[in-house]
Amino acid sequence: DAKTTQPPSMDCAEGRAANLPCNHSTISGNEYVYWYRQIHSQGPQYIIHGLKNNETNEMASLIITEDRKSSTLILPHATLRDTAVYYCIVRVAGDYGGSQGNLIFGKGTKLSVKP
Amino acid sequence: EAQVTQNPRYLITVTGKKLTVTCSQNMNHEYMSWYRQDPGLGLRQIYYSMNVEVTDKGDVPEGYKVSRKEKRNFPLILESPSPNQTSLYFCASSFGGLNSPLHFGNGTRLTVT
């Protein structure tokens, strides 16, 4: 089962920041938080990931709370093309092998960016 | 351009006719994996491979085979497809480990009649 909780849907006005929350209260100390998105039926697209510190790249920013029990993905200036399902995933630690490579996808948040 | 390439994008076949979906990556990744995506069930891992000649079952391996003879290729084989294998399939790859993002292909939509 997914170790994260996300709202099923959110709306955002075009040009505004989209802030997508995620709860992961059972996260372990060496588990990373990953964010992916999926536009229609395309392959999931990697956005960003982090362990403890906040992270930023050309696509988004990731804010992780100090206790690591929740995080927020920020798309600074949402466009219509950012409409997608966004998945917050805690990468499961385990024996070296498949459990480290696997991503367990939950239901995600359907973000609708509106003109 | 770094990418994971799957072929074909769309495939319609009949029950019992063996098929192979190819997956290739050009990023020198050790880890490769196959997922299937079904409505209401999300993405589920079928098989994965840690490196050449090393493969293992994921969560839903029944009815599938894989091979990893070369680092860049990881084909998915359905020896005797059945209608319940109608799904959207994704191949993915990474360097492996918790700190290495998984990169996905664009998907293969398979219909078995």
Side-chain angles (χ1 to χ4, degrees):
Chain A
D1 289 342
K3 297 178 63 174
T4 62
T5 304
Q6 300 177 253
S9 63
M10 292 182 62
D11 290 340
C12 178
E14 188 177 20
R16 305 297 294 269
N19 296 278
L20 290 89
C22 179
N23 287 322
H24 31 79
S25 58
T26 61
I27 193 170
S28 298
N30 62 343
E31 292 176 334
Y32 285 78
V33 178
Y34 275 77
W35 283 84
Y36 281 77
R37 72 181 183 184
Q38 188 173 26
I39 298 171
H40 194 44
S41 293
Q42 297 177 22
Q45 179 187 21
Y46 166 74
I47 301 173
I48 199 167
H49 74 286
L51 182 63
K52 297 178 183 176
N53 300 320
N54 298 336
E55 302 287 345
T56 295
N57 63 22
E58 65 279 2
M59 288 184 68
S61 294
L62 173 60
I63 309 298
I64 302 174
T65 58
E66 194 168 339
D67 63 8
R68 303 213 318 128
K69 292 185 176 181
S70 65
S71 61
T72 301
L73 178 74
I74 301 172
L75 307 178
H77 305 286
T79 71
L80 299 179
R81 287 183 293 180
D82 291 321
T83 292
V85 177
Y86 286 77
Y87 297 98
C88 170
I89 301 164
V90 169
R91 197 122 183 229
V92 179
D95 295 337
Y96 180 75
S99 58
Q100 284 205 1
N102 196 14
L103 294 170
I104 300 175
F105 287 78
K107 295 189 185 314
T109 295
K110 182 171 174 51
L111 175 68
S112 298
V113 181
K114 300 182 184 300
Chain B
E1 180 187 353
Q3 58 186 357
V4 178
T5 303
Q6 297 178 228
N7 280 297
R9 291 294 306 276
Y10 301 91
L11 180 58
I12 301 174
T13 189
V14 297
T15 299
K17 186 176 182 181
K18 180 180 178 180
L19 65 90
T20 299
V21 183
T22 64
C23 174
S24 179
Q25 50 90 9
N26 62 0
M27 296 170 279
N28 202 34
H29 284 164
E30 282 82 22
Y31 182 93
M32 297 186 75
S33 180
W34 277 102
Y35 288 81
R36 62 178 287 175
Q37 185 172 30
D38 303 288
L41 296 175
L43 283 114
R44 296 176 292 169
Q45 192 183 47
I46 303 171
Y47 266 95
Y48 63 91
S49 169
M50 292 304 300
N51 215 322
V52 175
E53 302 292 1
V54 181
T55 64
D56 210 342
K57 297 176 181 179
D59 297 322
V60 287
E62 294 77 20
Y64 304 95
K65 285 175 56 177
V66 292
S67 70
R68 188 91 182 274
K69 293 183 170 54
E70 307 164 280
K71 197 172 189 178
R72 62 182 294 132
N73 296 322
F74 190 46
L76 180 70
I77 303 156
L78 284 72
E79 295 269 4
S80 183
S82 63
N84 64 10
Q85 293 178 297
T86 292
S87 186
L88 181 57
Y89 291 86
F90 293 104
C91 180
S93 72
S94 78
F95 285 113
L98 291 176
N99 193 23
S100 178
L102 207 58
H103 297 277
F104 287 79
N106 280 329
T108 295
R109 187 170 290 282
L110 172 66
T111 302
V112 183
T113 61

